[in-house]
Amino acid sequence: DAMVIQNPRYQVTQFGKPVTLSCSQTLNHNVMYWYQQKSSQAPKLLFHYYDKDFNNEADTPDNFQSRRPNTSFCFLDIRSPGLGDAAMYLCATRDWGTNTEAFFGQGTRLTVV
Amino acid sequence: RKEVEQDPGPFNVPEGATVAFNCTYSNSASQSFFWYRQDCRKEPKLLMSVYSSGNEDGRFTAQLNRASQYISLLIRDSKLSDSATYLCVVSLNAGNNRKLIWGLGTSLAVNP
């Protein structure tokens, strides 16, 4: 059974049209990450939450925002998608305390037209 | 120097070959180490956690050398299905630093 679920799997949006990607988890993990991954590159961390504590990466564009209304859900909002934002967006969770591995959702592949 | 460095490959090997991947990390305070596997257009999946004593899971063996800040992954008797990108991941686990630091990945192609 999927433990980290991302919706949708594929998203096509128009240039400049806001889009929201969602992630939910059944693991009750306190840390949730959002990564952007482009072809042949490693995942790039955008931000992460530790419970409700939000941690933004210094080089994450202002165009990207996130919300975590509760432990189970986390959202990635792209306010004005540009062509360069086309990528796979990966959500991951981790149990901070046991220092175990991160569990990933299947990702949302975003296309900007 | 990158925080986590891997040979990008690609490694092209015949079925049945033994292949070794290496990874170095720059922060000596790193405490958790992982190898992930990523298939084309799929999410990364954990292959193995890496422990100080080394660990083995079937055809896969992972080693950690803290003194040299070096992690390795050995795949024996390669199968076609092992073709993927292998990502080395390191975590500090210190204070408020909960980030996972990723290598760029090593691409493996196992050929019939």
Side-chain angles (χ1 to χ4, degrees), chain A residues 33 37 94 96 102 105 109, chain B residues 36 38 41 43 91 93 98:
Chain A
Y33 303 92
Q37 188 176 28
R94 190 174 182 212
W96 182 254
R109 184 163 295 281
Chain B
Y36 277 77
Q38 188 170 25
R41 300 176 74 84
E43 78 278 18
S91 175
N93 304 343
R98 306 172 201 95

Side-chain angles (χ1 to χ4, degrees), chain B residues 7-104:
Chain B
D7 183 341
F11 283 49
N12 282 283
V13 302
E15 268 188 290
T18 295
V19 60
F21 302 138
N22 301 320
C23 171
T24 57
Y25 59 95
S26 61
N27 193 325
S28 59
S30 300
Q31 295 187 22
S32 297
F33 309 90
F34 309 96
W35 282 103
Y36 277 77
R37 170 198 168 125
Q38 188 170 25
D39 293 286
C40 188
R41 300 176 74 84
K42 298 282 183 69
E43 78 278 18
K45 291 189 176 175
L46 179 73
L47 180 66
M48 298 177 80
S49 300
V50 188
Y51 304 116
S52 295
S53 54
N55 44 304
E56 186 173 313
D57 182 3
R59 298 181 292 109
F60 299 86
T61 301
Q63 298 275 354
L64 167 64
N65 184 323
R66 285 188 184 272
S68 302
Q69 294 179 205
Y70 167 95
I71 307 155
S72 65
L73 176 67
L74 185 76
I75 305 176
R76 291 181 298 277
D77 188 22
S78 301
K79 311 290 184 193
L80 296 176
S81 57
D82 293 334
S83 299
T85 297
Y86 291 82
L87 295 145
C88 174
V89 184
V90 170
S91 175
L92 282 173
N93 304 343
N96 291 327
N97 192 327
R98 306 172 201 95
K99 291 193 279 191
L100 296 164
I101 312 299
W102 294 75
L104 291 179

